[in-house]
Amino acid sequence: MADHENKSAGEQAVENVTSNMDLLRFATAGSVDDGKSTLIGRLLLDSKSIFEDQLEAVEATSQNKGYDYTDLALLTDGLRSEREQGITIDVAYRYFATPNRKFIIADTPGHVQYTRNMVTGASTADLGLVLVDARQGLTEQSRRHAVILSLLRVPHLVLAVNKMDLVDYDEQVFERIHREFQQFATKLNIPDLEVIPISALKGDNVVNRSENMPWYSGSSLMHHLEHVHVASDRDLVDVRFPVQYVVRPKSDDHHDYRGYGGQVAGGVLKPGDEVVVLPSGMTSTIQGIDLFEQELEEAFPPMSVTVRLDDDVDVSRGDMIARVKNAPKPSQDIDAMICWMTNTPLRPRQKLAIKHTTRTARALVKDVQYRLDVNTLHRDQETKELGLNEIGRIQLRTTVPLLCDPYSKNRTTGSFILIDEATGVTVGAGMILSGD
């Protein structure tokens, strides 16, 4: 008990996250036909996470198509157009578990046309899994995806050199791709990089170590996924609680109940903590934290809870609860990196809707500072517009102050999306660099 009392809130929260959430979210990335869907199918099959009738259906479909092997990609490619073309279009989410950990997989498309879907799948990932065809090496799209994963601050990255069976498990091929990617990665912000040679089709180094590559002394992909440490990746210091919904049951049992529902974006919330409600600046104390019928002693990212306050202050959707002495600074001038997702170019003076956490406002594009070349990472400052799937740095002016943090500090309060007001379509995803 004494040790528990001597630990800081952040240290204790790390332990609680570790003990209460053995969950890893990871997203696949890479070029078309690098084998992403096949790899996910292999993980599901070899970890015994699919039912017999599912496997039988996939085997029957493979035979009907005239394949001489079981096409495991059919386990994840759910759309008819995906199965017909043999590509992934939408983000396919799959859930499975081993005795050591639970997993949520976002199988994202590799085609450049669907880069926006890749950004969506990777935005909440703890780990990015970039596949490379051993025969092709690094492509423009695999580089683009690595850049996006870096910009999205996905803290862990695995480069899986796939289809090693098609190059006779040649160590020199693997080492060449390994060196090339490491050289490219030195220009990116990748805190943790692992490179693993695999064959998704044959199962080499996916769940079990391969006898065909005795020169490789590292772990299998599954072993790495089971043991990579992600609990300390979250911001457990700066309290950020964007209010999503005001909970007022008005029932006989909860006649006077008033709570504020949302997902903890940062820090550790506890009953008795003094907090401030932004943007009003009203202060209060946390009376209690509820999760369904249970009252909690604390809440931390990414828990979704209802917070009750001692005082009857005005709180609504879009407000944020934070610590009094550690609150985000409201800002209307936003400096950000953006991934543009539509055919109509992004240009200065353009007006768009912006959604940041639970708050929506309007924004004006003040300037397009540069376009980033995903192959060379050169900053093209001559170009003053961004086209489809291009990445660049822009400056925005919003109609109301946003309660934001730099994306490097908090991936939730440091991100936003841009929306075309006429169509309601999401046209850009942004990562905040700073706010003045």
Side-chain angles (χ1 to χ4, degrees):
M1 184 66 179
D3 291 339
H4 176 87
E5 292 175 348
N6 289 333
K7 292 175 182 174
S8 68
E11 291 172 331
Q12 187 61 43
V14 170
E15 292 188 5
N16 292 341
V17 170
T18 305
S19 60
N20 288 295
M21 195 192 70
D22 55 346
L23 174 68
L24 177 73
R25 297 173 181 265
F26 70 94
T28 62
S31 296
V32 177
D33 291 333
D34 279 347
K36 296 181 294 299
S37 297
T38 301
L39 174 60
I40 301 306
R42 173 61 65 184
L43 284 170
L44 295 174
L45 177 64
D46 287 3
S47 62
K48 298 177 174 57
S49 299
I50 60 173
F51 295 110
E52 288 186 11
D53 58 340
Q54 288 178 294
L55 180 59
E56 290 172 357
V58 168
E59 289 174 340
T61 302
S62 299
Q63 289 179 358
N64 292 336
K65 288 177 173 287
Y67 299 159
D68 57 0
Y69 63 92
T70 300
D71 186 3
L72 298 177
L74 297 174
L75 289 168
T76 55
D77 288 340
L79 300 177
R80 177 178 295 181
S81 55
E82 293 179 325
R83 293 182 177 229
E84 289 174 350
Q85 299 180 60
I87 64 172
T88 300
I89 296 174
D90 200 6
V91 180
Y93 291 96
R94 291 295 179 267
Y95 309 85
F96 76 103
T98 68
N100 296 315
R101 178 168 263 172
K102 298 174 184 176
F103 300 92
I104 299 178
I105 313 169
D107 182 20
T108 70
H111 199 287
V112 64
Q113 182 179 348
Y114 305 112
T115 298
R116 56 179 293 160
N117 293 354
M118 179 269 166
V119 173
T120 301
S123 62
T124 57
D126 303 305
L127 181 145
L129 178 58
V130 179
L131 265 73
V132 174
D133 188 326
R135 301 167 302 171
Q136 306 295 330
L138 293 182
T139 64
E140 179 179 347
Q141 188 68 343
S142 54
R143 286 187 174 92
R144 175 183 282 109
H145 284 182
V147 170
I148 292 173
L149 289 168
S150 173
L151 290 174
L152 290 172
R153 296 279 176 166
V154 177
H156 307 277
L157 192 146
V158 173
L159 179 72
V161 182
N162 192 24
K163 303 187 181 182
M164 289 297 296
D165 56 307
L166 299 182
V167 294
D168 297 324
Y169 303 101
D170 190 336
E171 180 182 7
Q172 298 303 317
V173 173
F174 171 73
E175 289 298 335
R176 175 179 54 79
I177 297 173
H178 189 175
R179 286 193 302 270
E180 185 180 358
F181 189 81
Q182 276 194 319
Q183 184 178 3
F184 178 72
T186 57
K187 305 173 184 178
L188 305 176
N189 184 8
I190 301 176
D192 176 37
L193 172 63
E194 190 78 14
V195 185
I196 303 175
I198 66 168
S199 170
L201 185 64
K202 303 293 186 181
D204 296 280
N205 284 338
V206 178
V207 172
N208 303 307
R209 286 286 304 276
S210 171
E211 296 180 356
N212 294 314
M213 291 177 276
W215 43 264
Y216 173 70
S217 59
S219 64
S220 68
L221 175 61
M222 177 62 83
H223 184 272
H224 181 73
L225 295 176
E226 285 182 325
H227 294 91
V228 64
H229 183 69
V230 297
S232 58
D233 296 332
R234 297 174 175 86
D235 180 6
L236 298 172
V237 177
D238 307 297
V239 171
R240 302 289 187 266
F241 186 75
V243 176
Q244 183 174 359
Y245 185 71
V246 179
V247 182
R248 294 292 305 275
K250 295 184 179 180
S251 63
D252 291 337
D253 294 336
H254 303 90
H255 186 74
D256 296 320
Y257 187 97
R258 185 183 182 92
Y260 310 104
Q263 185 178 52
V264 183
V268 182
L269 295 168
K270 293 183 178 181
D273 286 350
E274 187 180 4
V275 293
V276 60
V277 179
L278 299 172
S280 68
M282 299 294 292
T283 59
S284 185
T285 303
I286 296 178
Q287 183 183 80
I289 303 171
D290 301 324
L291 178 63
F292 299 109
E293 299 295 328
Q294 179 185 5
E295 189 165 347
L296 305 177
E297 294 183 0
E298 62 182 10
F300 43 80
M303 295 174 65
S304 295
V305 297
T306 300
V307 174
R308 290 178 282 115
L309 301 179
D310 277 336
D311 304 289
D312 189 15
V313 297
D314 183 15
V315 184
S316 59
R317 176 181 172 85
D319 291 351
M320 184 177 291
I321 295 174
R323 286 273 173 78
V324 175
K325 296 182 179 180
N326 184 13
K329 182 182 177 182
S331 176
Q332 288 181 261
D333 292 300
I334 307 298
D335 191 11
M337 295 297 295
I338 191 84
C339 179
W340 192 242
M341 300 176 172
T342 187
N343 288 311
T344 304
L346 174 70
R347 296 188 177 103
R349 310 303 300 172
Q350 199 165 340
K351 295 179 180 179
L352 299 159
I354 183 171
K355 188 175 186 303
H356 171 261
T357 63
T358 56
R359 170 167 290 209
T360 302
R362 300 183 70 197
L364 173 71
V365 180
K366 291 171 60 179
D367 186 30
V368 176
Q369 295 181 299
Y370 61 78
R371 179 183 63 84
L372 188 68
D373 187 315
V374 297
N375 284 307
T376 64
L377 299 182
H378 171 70
R379 299 177 179 182
D380 182 3
Q381 297 180 347
E382 300 300 320
T383 299
K384 288 301 179 181
E385 66 178 36
L386 297 179
L388 176 64
N389 295 324
E390 290 187 334
I391 298 169
R393 183 168 179 167
I394 67 171
Q395 289 183 322
L396 298 172
R397 174 76 176 181
T398 60
T399 53
V400 297
L402 300 183
L403 303 165
C404 54
D405 296 293
Y407 189 82
S408 58
K409 185 177 182 180
N410 190 307
R411 290 173 68 189
T412 300
T413 59
S415 62
F416 61 87
I417 59 173
L418 295 174
I419 302 167
D420 186 322
E421 292 185 286
T423 63
V425 173
T426 300
V427 293
M431 292 71 72
I432 297 170
L433 300 174
S434 64
D436 299 321

